[in-house]
Amino acid sequence: EPEVTQTPSHQVTQMGQEVILRCVPISNHLYFYWYRQILGQKVEFLVSFYNNEISEKSEIFDDQFSVERPDGSNFTLKIRSTKLEDSAMYFCASKWTSGSDTQYFGPGTRLTVL
Amino acid sequence: KNEVEQSPQNLTAQEGEFITINCSYSVGISALHWLQQHPGGGIVSLFMLSSGKKKHGRLIATINIQEKHSSLHITASHPRDSAVYICAVGIIQGAQKLVFGQGTRLTINP
């Protein structure tokens, strides 16, 4: 069965460093999302992406964040200068249609900023 | 005020018990999702509902659109059902992002 994959599963970085989290969505899906979950808190929406551009972003998604779909298969989330408070589990999700549709989640990348 | 509220936050039960987890929401939705999060953190979609009721194995999900309320039921609960169950709503506008409840931590003891 097709699945969303994410790499790495765990990333440890120093404050101020840049990180890139990678996702490979399900191949025929058109809508892509990043969510994050700070330890002990609920999952929060970061950004959605369709047709090679951001379709919606949350207040969390400030200038330090960017997303890209560089080659038609990968979908990346970059954090330019990490802060301690960026430590969280980051989930990528994808779905096929614009309407009500199941979003398929990747296994997550646990980001630890020291 | 949270847009999605779940209750209870924690639930411990004995194997075999009938489990109910509730979700209320306050925004316009395209659909409501029930998700399961395992201890390692991975999220699995269980149901997507826009009306009525769905059943999959021992899991049943219902939604009342007028009351903005949904329930997830587990019949004949088993220790392997222990997980965090999350209610999330698809927002009707824009990119159909999901807005999540805080989750219900379910523990089923043998």
Short mmCIF file of all heavy atoms in Angstrom, two decimals, chain A residues 9-70:
data_model
loop_
_atom_site.label_atom_id
_atom_site.label_comp_id
_atom_site.label_asym_id
_atom_site.label_seq_id
_atom_site.Cartn_x
_atom_site.Cartn_y
_atom_site.Cartn_z
N SER A 9 14.31 10.21 10.68
CA SER A 9 13.31 9.94 11.71
C SER A 9 13.61 10.80 12.95
O SER A 9 12.68 11.18 13.67
CB SER A 9 13.30 8.46 12.08
OG SER A 9 14.59 8.04 12.47
N HIS A 10 14.88 11.11 13.17
CA HIS A 10 15.26 11.94 14.30
C HIS A 10 16.42 12.83 13.88
O HIS A 10 17.39 12.35 13.29
CB HIS A 10 15.66 11.07 15.50
CG HIS A 10 15.82 11.83 16.78
ND1 HIS A 10 16.36 11.28 17.92
CD2 HIS A 10 15.52 13.12 17.11
CE1 HIS A 10 16.37 12.19 18.89
NE2 HIS A 10 15.88 13.30 18.41
N GLN A 11 16.30 14.12 14.15
CA GLN A 11 17.35 15.08 13.81
C GLN A 11 17.68 15.89 15.06
O GLN A 11 16.79 16.47 15.69
CB GLN A 11 16.85 16.02 12.71
CG GLN A 11 17.74 17.18 12.38
CD GLN A 11 18.63 16.90 11.19
OE1 GLN A 11 18.18 16.39 10.18
NE2 GLN A 11 19.89 17.25 11.32
N VAL A 12 18.97 15.89 15.38
CA VAL A 12 19.44 16.70 16.50
C VAL A 12 20.30 17.81 15.92
O VAL A 12 21.18 17.55 15.09
CB VAL A 12 20.25 15.86 17.51
CG1 VAL A 12 20.71 16.74 18.67
CG2 VAL A 12 19.43 14.69 18.02
N THR A 13 20.07 19.04 16.34
CA THR A 13 20.81 20.16 15.79
C THR A 13 21.09 21.19 16.87
O THR A 13 20.43 21.20 17.92
CB THR A 13 20.03 20.79 14.61
OG1 THR A 13 20.87 21.72 13.94
CG2 THR A 13 18.79 21.53 15.11
N GLN A 14 22.04 22.05 16.61
CA GLN A 14 22.35 23.15 17.53
C GLN A 14 21.49 24.36 17.17
O GLN A 14 21.20 24.61 15.99
CB GLN A 14 23.82 23.52 17.42
CG GLN A 14 24.78 22.44 17.87
CD GLN A 14 24.73 22.22 19.36
OE1 GLN A 14 24.54 23.16 20.13
NE2 GLN A 14 24.91 20.97 19.78
N MET A 15 21.12 25.10 18.18
CA MET A 15 20.37 26.34 17.98
C MET A 15 21.07 27.23 16.95
O MET A 15 22.30 27.37 17.00
CB MET A 15 20.26 27.06 19.32
CG MET A 15 19.29 28.19 19.36
SD MET A 15 19.01 28.73 21.05
CE MET A 15 20.66 29.15 21.58
N GLY A 16 20.29 27.79 16.03
CA GLY A 16 20.87 28.65 15.01
C GLY A 16 21.23 27.95 13.72
O GLY A 16 21.48 28.61 12.71
N GLN A 17 21.27 26.64 13.74
CA GLN A 17 21.59 25.88 12.54
C GLN A 17 20.36 25.73 11.64
O GLN A 17 19.21 25.78 12.10
CB GLN A 17 22.12 24.49 12.90
CG GLN A 17 23.44 24.51 13.63
CD GLN A 17 24.56 25.07 12.77
OE1 GLN A 17 24.81 24.59 11.67
NE2 GLN A 17 25.21 26.11 13.25
N GLU A 18 20.62 25.49 10.38
CA GLU A 18 19.54 25.22 9.42
C GLU A 18 19.26 23.73 9.37
O GLU A 18 20.19 22.91 9.45
CB GLU A 18 19.98 25.70 8.03
CG GLU A 18 19.01 25.35 6.91
CD GLU A 18 19.52 25.78 5.55
OE1 GLU A 18 19.53 27.00 5.27
OE2 GLU A 18 19.93 24.88 4.77
N VAL A 19 17.98 23.38 9.27
CA VAL A 19 17.63 21.97 9.08
C VAL A 19 16.66 21.86 7.92
O VAL A 19 15.88 22.77 7.64
CB VAL A 19 16.99 21.34 10.34
CG1 VAL A 19 17.98 21.26 11.48
CG2 VAL A 19 15.72 22.06 10.75
N ILE A 20 16.75 20.74 7.24
CA ILE A 20 15.80 20.42 6.17
C ILE A 20 15.17 19.07 6.50
O ILE A 20 15.89 18.07 6.66
CB ILE A 20 16.50 20.36 4.79
CG1 ILE A 20 17.07 21.73 4.44
CG2 ILE A 20 15.50 19.91 3.72
CD1 ILE A 20 17.86 21.76 3.15
N LEU A 21 13.87 19.07 6.59
CA LEU A 21 13.12 17.84 6.82
C LEU A 21 12.51 17.41 5.50
O LEU A 21 11.92 18.24 4.79
CB LEU A 21 12.02 18.07 7.88
CG LEU A 21 12.46 18.75 9.17
CD1 LEU A 21 11.29 18.83 10.15
CD2 LEU A 21 13.64 18.05 9.79
N ARG A 22 12.64 16.14 5.21
CA ARG A 22 12.22 15.66 3.89
C ARG A 22 11.03 14.72 3.98
O ARG A 22 10.90 13.94 4.91
CB ARG A 22 13.38 14.94 3.20
CG ARG A 22 14.59 15.83 3.02
CD ARG A 22 15.75 15.13 2.35
NE ARG A 22 16.97 15.91 2.51
CZ ARG A 22 17.29 16.98 1.79
NH1 ARG A 22 16.49 17.37 0.83
NH2 ARG A 22 18.40 17.63 2.01
N CYS A 23 10.21 14.80 2.96
CA CYS A 23 9.00 13.99 2.88
C CYS A 23 8.84 13.53 1.43
O CYS A 23 9.11 14.29 0.50
CB CYS A 23 7.80 14.84 3.31
SG CYS A 23 6.18 14.13 2.97
N VAL A 24 8.41 12.29 1.28
CA VAL A 24 7.99 11.82 -0.05
C VAL A 24 6.52 11.47 0.05
O VAL A 24 6.15 10.46 0.65
CB VAL A 24 8.80 10.60 -0.52
CG1 VAL A 24 8.32 10.14 -1.89
CG2 VAL A 24 10.28 10.94 -0.57
N PRO A 25 5.65 12.32 -0.49
CA PRO A 25 4.20 12.05 -0.42
C PRO A 25 3.83 10.87 -1.32
O PRO A 25 4.63 10.39 -2.11
CB PRO A 25 3.58 13.35 -0.94
CG PRO A 25 4.67 14.37 -0.91
CD PRO A 25 5.94 13.61 -1.10
N ILE A 26 2.59 10.43 -1.20
CA ILE A 26 2.08 9.39 -2.08
C ILE A 26 2.04 9.94 -3.50
O ILE A 26 1.64 11.09 -3.72
CB ILE A 26 0.70 8.91 -1.60
CG1 ILE A 26 0.87 8.22 -0.24
CG2 ILE A 26 0.03 7.99 -2.61
CD1 ILE A 26 -0.41 7.83 0.45
N SER A 27 2.44 9.11 -4.46
CA SER A 27 2.86 9.62 -5.77
C SER A 27 1.77 10.36 -6.54
O SER A 27 2.08 11.30 -7.25
CB SER A 27 3.42 8.48 -6.63
OG SER A 27 2.40 7.54 -6.88
N ASN A 28 0.53 10.01 -6.46
CA ASN A 28 -0.49 10.71 -7.26
C ASN A 28 -1.23 11.77 -6.45
O ASN A 28 -2.23 12.31 -6.92
CB ASN A 28 -1.47 9.71 -7.86
CG ASN A 28 -2.20 8.91 -6.80
OD1 ASN A 28 -1.82 8.95 -5.63
ND2 ASN A 28 -3.25 8.22 -7.17
N HIS A 29 -0.75 12.07 -5.26
CA HIS A 29 -1.40 13.09 -4.45
C HIS A 29 -0.98 14.48 -4.91
O HIS A 29 0.13 14.68 -5.42
CB HIS A 29 -1.07 12.89 -2.98
CG HIS A 29 -1.84 11.76 -2.36
ND1 HIS A 29 -1.80 11.50 -1.01
CD2 HIS A 29 -2.68 10.84 -2.89
CE1 HIS A 29 -2.58 10.47 -0.75
NE2 HIS A 29 -3.12 10.05 -1.88
N LEU A 30 -1.87 15.45 -4.68
CA LEU A 30 -1.65 16.79 -5.20
C LEU A 30 -1.55 17.85 -4.10
O LEU A 30 -1.11 18.96 -4.38
CB LEU A 30 -2.80 17.18 -6.14
CG LEU A 30 -3.01 16.27 -7.35
CD1 LEU A 30 -4.24 16.70 -8.13
CD2 LEU A 30 -1.78 16.27 -8.26
N TYR A 31 -2.00 17.52 -2.90
CA TYR A 31 -2.06 18.49 -1.79
C TYR A 31 -1.15 18.00 -0.68
O TYR A 31 -1.22 16.83 -0.27
CB TYR A 31 -3.50 18.64 -1.29
CG TYR A 31 -4.42 19.22 -2.34
CD1 TYR A 31 -4.97 18.40 -3.32
CD2 TYR A 31 -4.70 20.57 -2.37
CE1 TYR A 31 -5.78 18.92 -4.31
CE2 TYR A 31 -5.51 21.10 -3.35
CZ TYR A 31 -6.04 20.27 -4.32
OH TYR A 31 -6.84 20.80 -5.31
N PHE A 32 -0.33 18.90 -0.19
CA PHE A 32 0.70 18.52 0.76
C PHE A 32 0.65 19.45 1.96
O PHE A 32 0.35 20.65 1.82
CB PHE A 32 2.08 18.58 0.11
CG PHE A 32 2.11 17.90 -1.24
CD1 PHE A 32 2.24 18.65 -2.39
CD2 PHE A 32 1.98 16.53 -1.33
CE1 PHE A 32 2.23 18.04 -3.63
CE2 PHE A 32 1.97 15.91 -2.57
CZ PHE A 32 2.10 16.66 -3.72
N TYR A 33 0.96 18.89 3.13
CA TYR A 33 0.85 19.62 4.39
C TYR A 33 2.04 19.30 5.29
O TYR A 33 2.58 18.20 5.25
CB TYR A 33 -0.43 19.20 5.14
CG TYR A 33 -1.70 19.35 4.34
CD1 TYR A 33 -2.10 18.36 3.45
CD2 TYR A 33 -2.51 20.48 4.49
CE1 TYR A 33 -3.27 18.49 2.71
CE2 TYR A 33 -3.68 20.62 3.75
CZ TYR A 33 -4.04 19.62 2.86
OH TYR A 33 -5.21 19.75 2.13
N TRP A 34 2.39 20.29 6.10
CA TRP A 34 3.28 20.06 7.24
C TRP A 34 2.52 20.45 8.50
O TRP A 34 1.87 21.51 8.56
CB TRP A 34 4.56 20.89 7.15
CG TRP A 34 5.58 20.34 6.20
CD1 TRP A 34 5.85 20.79 4.94
CD2 TRP A 34 6.47 19.24 6.44
NE1 TRP A 34 6.84 20.03 4.38
CE2 TRP A 34 7.24 19.08 5.27
CE3 TRP A 34 6.69 18.39 7.51
CZ2 TRP A 34 8.23 18.09 5.15
CZ3 TRP A 34 7.66 17.41 7.39
CH2 TRP A 34 8.42 17.27 6.23
N TYR A 35 2.63 19.58 9.50
CA TYR A 35 2.09 19.82 10.83
C TYR A 35 3.21 19.59 11.82
O TYR A 35 4.20 18.90 11.53
CB TYR A 35 0.96 18.83 11.15
CG TYR A 35 -0.26 18.92 10.27
CD1 TYR A 35 -0.36 18.15 9.11
CD2 TYR A 35 -1.33 19.75 10.61
CE1 TYR A 35 -1.48 18.22 8.29
CE2 TYR A 35 -2.46 19.82 9.80
CZ TYR A 35 -2.52 19.05 8.65
OH TYR A 35 -3.65 19.12 7.85
N ARG A 36 3.06 20.16 13.02
CA ARG A 36 4.03 19.85 14.05
C ARG A 36 3.31 19.59 15.37
O ARG A 36 2.18 20.04 15.59
CB ARG A 36 5.05 20.98 14.22
CG ARG A 36 4.55 22.14 15.04
CD ARG A 36 5.66 23.10 15.41
NE ARG A 36 5.13 24.12 16.30
CZ ARG A 36 5.77 25.23 16.63
NH1 ARG A 36 6.98 25.45 16.13
NH2 ARG A 36 5.24 26.10 17.44
N GLN A 37 4.01 18.83 16.22
CA GLN A 37 3.47 18.52 17.54
C GLN A 37 4.59 18.68 18.56
O GLN A 37 5.53 17.87 18.61
CB GLN A 37 2.91 17.10 17.59
CG GLN A 37 2.23 16.75 18.90
CD GLN A 37 1.64 15.35 18.88
OE1 GLN A 37 2.19 14.44 18.27
NE2 GLN A 37 0.52 15.16 19.57
N ILE A 38 4.50 19.74 19.36
CA ILE A 38 5.42 19.92 20.47
C ILE A 38 5.05 18.88 21.53
O ILE A 38 3.87 18.59 21.74
CB ILE A 38 5.33 21.35 21.02
CG1 ILE A 38 5.84 22.33 19.95
CG2 ILE A 38 6.11 21.50 22.30
CD1 ILE A 38 5.59 23.79 20.27
N LEU A 39 6.07 18.35 22.19
CA LEU A 39 5.86 17.28 23.15
C LEU A 39 4.78 17.63 24.16
O LEU A 39 4.82 18.70 24.79
CB LEU A 39 7.18 16.98 23.87
CG LEU A 39 7.19 15.76 24.78
CD1 LEU A 39 6.95 14.49 23.98
CD2 LEU A 39 8.51 15.67 25.54
N GLY A 40 3.78 16.77 24.27
CA GLY A 40 2.72 16.97 25.25
C GLY A 40 1.61 17.88 24.78
O GLY A 40 0.64 18.11 25.51
N GLN A 41 1.74 18.41 23.56
CA GLN A 41 0.72 19.33 23.05
C GLN A 41 0.01 18.72 21.84
O GLN A 41 0.36 17.66 21.36
CB GLN A 41 1.35 20.67 22.68
CG GLN A 41 1.98 21.37 23.87
CD GLN A 41 2.49 22.76 23.52
OE1 GLN A 41 2.05 23.37 22.54
NE2 GLN A 41 3.39 23.28 24.34
N LYS A 42 -1.01 19.45 21.37
CA LYS A 42 -1.75 18.92 20.23
C LYS A 42 -1.02 19.22 18.92
O LYS A 42 -0.12 20.06 18.86
CB LYS A 42 -3.16 19.51 20.20
CG LYS A 42 -3.23 21.00 20.03
CD LYS A 42 -4.67 21.45 20.08
CE LYS A 42 -4.77 22.95 19.94
NZ LYS A 42 -6.17 23.43 20.00
N VAL A 43 -1.42 18.50 17.89
CA VAL A 43 -0.85 18.70 16.57
C VAL A 43 -1.34 20.05 16.01
O VAL A 43 -2.52 20.40 16.16
CB VAL A 43 -1.26 17.55 15.63
CG1 VAL A 43 -0.68 17.74 14.24
CG2 VAL A 43 -0.83 16.20 16.21
N GLU A 44 -0.41 20.79 15.38
CA GLU A 44 -0.76 22.11 14.85
C GLU A 44 -0.42 22.18 13.36
O GLU A 44 0.62 21.67 12.93
CB GLU A 44 0.07 23.20 15.53
CG GLU A 44 -0.03 23.26 17.02
CD GLU A 44 0.99 24.23 17.59
OE1 GLU A 44 2.19 23.88 17.62
OE2 GLU A 44 0.59 25.34 17.97
N PHE A 45 -1.26 22.84 12.61
CA PHE A 45 -1.04 23.07 11.19
C PHE A 45 0.09 24.09 10.99
O PHE A 45 0.13 25.12 11.68
CB PHE A 45 -2.33 23.57 10.56
CG PHE A 45 -2.19 24.12 9.18
CD1 PHE A 45 -2.04 23.28 8.09
CD2 PHE A 45 -2.24 25.49 8.95
CE1 PHE A 45 -1.93 23.79 6.81
CE2 PHE A 45 -2.13 26.01 7.69
CZ PHE A 45 -1.98 25.16 6.60
N LEU A 46 0.99 23.80 10.05
CA LEU A 46 2.02 24.78 9.68
C LEU A 46 1.72 25.39 8.31
O LEU A 46 1.63 26.61 8.18
CB LEU A 46 3.39 24.10 9.62
CG LEU A 46 4.02 23.69 10.94
CD1 LEU A 46 5.35 23.00 10.67
CD2 LEU A 46 4.22 24.88 11.85
N VAL A 47 1.60 24.53 7.29
CA VAL A 47 1.53 25.05 5.93
C VAL A 47 0.91 24.01 5.02
O VAL A 47 1.00 22.81 5.25
CB VAL A 47 2.95 25.43 5.46
CG1 VAL A 47 3.82 24.17 5.32
CG2 VAL A 47 2.94 26.22 4.17
N SER A 48 0.23 24.50 3.98
CA SER A 48 -0.27 23.62 2.92
C SER A 48 0.30 24.08 1.59
O SER A 48 0.61 25.26 1.41
CB SER A 48 -1.80 23.61 2.89
OG SER A 48 -2.29 24.91 2.68
N PHE A 49 0.40 23.15 0.66
CA PHE A 49 1.12 23.39 -0.59
C PHE A 49 0.38 22.70 -1.71
O PHE A 49 0.05 21.52 -1.61
CB PHE A 49 2.54 22.82 -0.43
CG PHE A 49 3.53 23.23 -1.46
CD1 PHE A 49 4.23 24.41 -1.34
CD2 PHE A 49 3.81 22.40 -2.55
CE1 PHE A 49 5.18 24.78 -2.28
CE2 PHE A 49 4.76 22.76 -3.50
CZ PHE A 49 5.45 23.95 -3.36
N TYR A 50 0.13 23.45 -2.79
CA TYR A 50 -0.57 22.88 -3.94
C TYR A 50 -0.10 23.60 -5.18
O TYR A 50 0.09 24.82 -5.18
CB TYR A 50 -2.09 23.02 -3.77
CG TYR A 50 -2.87 22.74 -5.03
CD1 TYR A 50 -2.96 21.44 -5.52
CD2 TYR A 50 -3.51 23.76 -5.74
CE1 TYR A 50 -3.65 21.16 -6.68
CE2 TYR A 50 -4.21 23.49 -6.90
CZ TYR A 50 -4.27 22.19 -7.36
OH TYR A 50 -4.96 21.92 -8.52
N ASN A 51 0.09 22.87 -6.25
CA ASN A 51 0.44 23.46 -7.54
C ASN A 51 1.71 24.31 -7.42
O ASN A 51 1.78 25.42 -7.96
CB ASN A 51 -0.73 24.31 -8.05
CG ASN A 51 -0.67 24.55 -9.55
OD1 ASN A 51 -0.07 23.76 -10.29
ND2 ASN A 51 -1.25 25.65 -9.99
N ASN A 52 2.67 23.78 -6.66
CA ASN A 52 3.98 24.41 -6.49
C ASN A 52 3.96 25.75 -5.78
O ASN A 52 4.87 26.57 -5.99
CB ASN A 52 4.69 24.56 -7.84
CG ASN A 52 5.30 23.25 -8.29
OD1 ASN A 52 5.86 22.51 -7.49
ND2 ASN A 52 5.18 22.95 -9.56
N GLU A 53 2.93 25.97 -4.97
CA GLU A 53 2.96 27.17 -4.17
C GLU A 53 2.22 26.95 -2.86
O GLU A 53 1.39 26.04 -2.75
CB GLU A 53 2.38 28.37 -4.91
CG GLU A 53 0.94 28.22 -5.34
CD GLU A 53 0.48 29.42 -6.14
OE1 GLU A 53 1.30 30.13 -6.73
OE2 GLU A 53 -0.74 29.63 -6.17
N ILE A 54 2.54 27.79 -1.88
CA ILE A 54 1.86 27.73 -0.60
C ILE A 54 0.42 28.18 -0.78
O ILE A 54 0.15 29.23 -1.36
CB ILE A 54 2.58 28.62 0.44
CG1 ILE A 54 3.94 28.01 0.79
CG2 ILE A 54 1.73 28.81 1.68
CD1 ILE A 54 4.80 28.90 1.67
N SER A 55 -0.52 27.36 -0.29
CA SER A 55 -1.93 27.73 -0.37
C SER A 55 -2.44 28.32 0.93
O SER A 55 -3.37 29.13 0.92
CB SER A 55 -2.79 26.54 -0.80
OG SER A 55 -2.45 25.39 -0.06
N GLU A 56 -1.84 27.94 2.03
CA GLU A 56 -2.21 28.51 3.33
C GLU A 56 -1.06 28.28 4.31
O GLU A 56 -0.36 27.26 4.20
CB GLU A 56 -3.49 27.86 3.86
CG GLU A 56 -4.06 28.52 5.10
CD GLU A 56 -5.41 27.94 5.53
OE1 GLU A 56 -6.01 27.16 4.76
OE2 GLU A 56 -5.86 28.28 6.62
N LYS A 57 -0.87 29.21 5.21
CA LYS A 57 0.14 29.01 6.26
C LYS A 57 -0.39 29.57 7.57
O LYS A 57 -1.23 30.47 7.59
CB LYS A 57 1.46 29.66 5.88
CG LYS A 57 1.40 31.15 5.65
CD LYS A 57 2.75 31.67 5.20
CE LYS A 57 2.68 33.18 4.98
NZ LYS A 57 3.98 33.75 4.56
N SER A 58 0.13 29.03 8.66
CA SER A 58 -0.30 29.47 9.98
C SER A 58 0.63 30.57 10.48
O SER A 58 1.66 30.88 9.86
CB SER A 58 -0.28 28.30 10.96
OG SER A 58 1.05 27.93 11.26
N GLU A 59 0.27 31.14 11.62
CA GLU A 59 1.10 32.18 12.25
C GLU A 59 2.47 31.62 12.64
O GLU A 59 3.43 32.36 12.74
CB GLU A 59 0.40 32.73 13.49
CG GLU A 59 -0.83 33.55 13.15
CD GLU A 59 -1.55 34.02 14.40
OE1 GLU A 59 -1.13 33.66 15.52
OE2 GLU A 59 -2.54 34.75 14.26
N ILE A 60 2.52 30.33 12.91
CA ILE A 60 3.79 29.71 13.29
C ILE A 60 4.78 29.78 12.13
O ILE A 60 5.99 29.92 12.31
CB ILE A 60 3.58 28.23 13.68
CG1 ILE A 60 2.55 28.10 14.80
CG2 ILE A 60 4.88 27.57 14.06
CD1 ILE A 60 2.06 26.68 14.98
N PHE A 61 4.28 29.66 10.94
CA PHE A 61 5.11 29.57 9.74
C PHE A 61 5.61 30.96 9.37
O PHE A 61 5.07 31.62 8.45
CB PHE A 61 4.29 28.94 8.60
CG PHE A 61 5.12 28.46 7.43
CD1 PHE A 61 5.63 27.19 7.42
CD2 PHE A 61 5.36 29.30 6.36
CE1 PHE A 61 6.38 26.74 6.35
CE2 PHE A 61 6.11 28.86 5.28
CZ PHE A 61 6.61 27.57 5.27
N ASP A 62 6.66 31.39 10.07
CA ASP A 62 7.18 32.74 9.81
C ASP A 62 8.32 32.68 8.79
O ASP A 62 8.52 31.66 8.12
CB ASP A 62 7.62 33.39 11.13
CG ASP A 62 8.73 32.61 11.83
OD1 ASP A 62 9.44 31.83 11.16
OD2 ASP A 62 8.88 32.78 13.05
N ASP A 63 9.08 33.75 8.69
CA ASP A 63 10.13 33.85 7.67
C ASP A 63 11.25 32.83 7.86
O ASP A 63 12.06 32.65 6.96
CB ASP A 63 10.75 35.26 7.69
CG ASP A 63 9.76 36.30 7.21
OD1 ASP A 63 8.74 35.91 6.62
OD2 ASP A 63 10.01 37.49 7.44
N GLN A 64 11.32 32.21 9.02
CA GLN A 64 12.35 31.21 9.24
C GLN A 64 12.03 29.87 8.58
O GLN A 64 12.89 29.01 8.48
CB GLN A 64 12.55 30.97 10.75
CG GLN A 64 13.14 32.17 11.47
CD GLN A 64 14.49 32.56 10.91
OE1 GLN A 64 15.37 31.71 10.77
NE2 GLN A 64 14.65 33.82 10.57
N PHE A 65 10.77 29.73 8.16
CA PHE A 65 10.32 28.48 7.56
C PHE A 65 10.15 28.65 6.05
O PHE A 65 9.76 29.72 5.58
CB PHE A 65 8.98 28.04 8.14
CG PHE A 65 9.01 27.60 9.58
CD1 PHE A 65 8.90 28.52 10.61
CD2 PHE A 65 9.15 26.25 9.90
CE1 PHE A 65 8.93 28.10 11.93
CE2 PHE A 65 9.16 25.83 11.22
CZ PHE A 65 9.06 26.75 12.23
N SER A 66 10.43 27.59 5.32
CA SER A 66 10.10 27.57 3.89
C SER A 66 9.82 26.14 3.47
O SER A 66 10.26 25.19 4.13
CB SER A 66 11.24 28.17 3.05
OG SER A 66 12.42 27.40 3.19
N VAL A 67 9.06 26.00 2.41
CA VAL A 67 8.76 24.68 1.86
C VAL A 67 9.07 24.69 0.38
O VAL A 67 9.04 25.73 -0.29
CB VAL A 67 7.30 24.24 2.07
CG1 VAL A 67 7.02 23.91 3.52
CG2 VAL A 67 6.33 25.28 1.56
N GLU A 68 9.35 23.49 -0.10
CA GLU A 68 9.73 23.36 -1.50
C GLU A 68 9.37 21.96 -1.98
O GLU A 68 9.38 21.00 -1.21
CB GLU A 68 11.26 23.53 -1.61
CG GLU A 68 11.75 23.99 -2.95
CD GLU A 68 13.24 24.26 -2.91
OE1 GLU A 68 13.99 23.51 -2.26
OE2 GLU A 68 13.65 25.23 -3.56
N ARG A 69 9.06 21.88 -3.27
CA ARG A 69 8.88 20.57 -3.89
C ARG A 69 9.85 20.55 -5.07
O ARG A 69 9.48 20.85 -6.20
CB ARG A 69 7.44 20.41 -4.33
CG ARG A 69 7.07 19.04 -4.80
CD ARG A 69 5.58 18.81 -4.66
NE ARG A 69 5.11 17.75 -5.54
CZ ARG A 69 5.21 16.46 -5.26
NH1 ARG A 69 5.78 16.06 -4.15
NH2 ARG A 69 4.74 15.57 -6.10
N PRO A 70 11.10 20.24 -4.79
CA PRO A 70 12.16 20.51 -5.77
C PRO A 70 12.13 19.64 -7.01
O PRO A 70 12.58 20.07 -8.07
CB PRO A 70 13.44 20.26 -4.96
CG PRO A 70 13.03 19.35 -3.86
CD PRO A 70 11.62 19.67 -3.54
#
